[in-house]
């Protein structure tokens, strides 16, 4: 143990976990391109597709949480150094996804049609992976976690165990948000007729493309 640090009582482990949950919620909850992607996929394919999308984002959040909590500076430095390139790639992907939804808005699908679409598009694993990559393409999230963890105080991170508990809390909080969002959108999907669903999906796709344009603009300007 580092000289001068005091061991945290075991009854504070729960408190550290709850702090991680709150951090995960606060970082995941603001509406952004990943939320738009989650809603779009839920409207198109159903709640499971949206949940896979959200869990990809939650896993990326937890990855950044690990880098911030354990101070893995080598990886952090590389990510920040290539921030513009990552933003460029992420912005192009968001624009492409948004344009696809706008031009080819999906309508209500039967369970058989959903399964067929999943086979064509690669299934839930691909949706998880693409969202994971898109979320990692924004190193600003790492800085947000670093700032949040710094605000906890060094006493909350005296050991690997406590840092791990904090990261687990981050994943739980982020995952809970995406679970709520995907199933809320899935519930709304059940109330929309095919025409309204196409219109809603097209609107979400437009927002997704706009988010991508903003990301690309930040690279240029």
């Amino acid at each position: 143990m580092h000289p001068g640090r005091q061991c945290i009582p075991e009854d504070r482990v729960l408190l550290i976990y709850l702090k991680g949950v709150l951090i995960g919620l606060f970082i995941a909850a603001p509406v952004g391109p990943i939320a738009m992607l989650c809603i779009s996929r839920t409207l198109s394919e159903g709640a499971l597709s949206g949940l896979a999308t959200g869990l990809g984002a939650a896993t990326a959040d937890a990855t950044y949480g690990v880098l911030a909590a354990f101070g893995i500076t080598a990886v952090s430095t590389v990510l920040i150094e290539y921030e513009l390139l990552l933003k460029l790639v992420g912005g192009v992907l968001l624009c492409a996804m948004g344009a696809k939804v706008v031009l080819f808005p999906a309508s209500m699908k039967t369970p058989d049609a959903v399964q067929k679409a999943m086979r064509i598009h690669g299934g839930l694993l691909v949706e998880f992976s693409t969202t994971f990559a898109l979320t990692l393409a924004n190193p600003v999230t790492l800085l947000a976690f670093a700032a949040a963890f710094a605000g906890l105080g060094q006493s909350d991170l005296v050991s690997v165990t406590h840092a791990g508990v904090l990261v687990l809390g981050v994943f739980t909080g982020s995952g809970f948000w995406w679970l709520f969002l995907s199933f809320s959108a899935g519930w709304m999907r059940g109330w929309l007729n095919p025409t309204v669903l196409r219109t809603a999906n097209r609107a979400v796709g437009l927002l997704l493309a706009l988010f991508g344009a903003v990301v690309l603009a930040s690279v240029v300007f």
Side-chain angles (χ1 to χ4, degrees):
M1 185 183 299
H2 191 280
R5 290 184 177 177
Q6 296 180 348
C7 182
I8 300 177
E10 291 303 320
D11 59 359
R12 290 201 59 198
V13 171
L14 178 59
L15 179 60
I16 294 172
Y17 172 77
L18 293 177
K19 287 180 179 180
V21 171
L22 290 176
I23 291 173
L25 276 172
F26 287 140
I27 290 181
V31 176
I34 303 303
M36 292 297 101
L37 185 59
C38 178
I39 293 172
S40 175
R41 286 176 172 174
T42 300
L43 293 177
S44 299
E45 313 293 347
L48 283 179
S49 179
L51 181 58
T53 299
L55 288 179
T59 304
D61 285 342
T63 301
Y64 273 137
V66 168
L67 295 178
F70 292 94
I72 307 178
T73 56
V75 178
S76 304
T77 301
V78 170
L79 288 171
I80 295 174
E81 181 179 353
Y82 290 96
E83 178 181 357
L84 292 181
L85 178 60
L86 292 172
K87 282 186 174 182
L88 179 63
V89 174
V92 169
L93 288 176
L94 289 173
C95 287
M97 289 179 178
K100 179 182 177 182
V101 174
V102 171
L103 296 174
F104 308 101
S107 59
M108 191 81 68
K109 293 181 179 178
T110 63
D112 288 341
V114 169
Q115 291 180 4
K116 181 179 179 180
M118 285 295 180
R119 288 195 296 269
I120 294 174
H121 298 149
L124 298 177
L125 180 60
V126 170
E127 295 184 337
F128 172 92
S129 302
T130 54
T131 313
F132 176 77
L134 280 172
T135 306
L136 282 185
N138 183 19
V140 174
T141 306
L142 174 61
L143 300 179
F145 274 114
F149 288 177
L152 294 177
Q154 293 297 318
S155 62
D156 281 344
L157 297 173
V158 315
S159 72
V160 171
T161 300
H162 293 131
V165 168
L166 187 65
V167 172
L168 178 61
V170 167
F171 179 81
T172 303
S174 181
F176 175 81
W177 167 253
W178 296 114
L179 179 69
F180 169 78
L181 183 64
S182 58
F183 279 93
S184 296
W187 177 81
M188 291 178 58
R189 177 178 183 267
W191 288 88
L192 301 178
N193 62 53
T195 301
V196 175
L197 180 61
R198 282 193 297 270
T199 302
N201 208 15
R202 182 176 277 123
V204 171
L206 179 60
L207 288 174
L208 189 61
L210 287 175
F211 275 117
V214 170
V215 172
L216 291 177
S218 70
V219 174
V220 176
F221 304 105

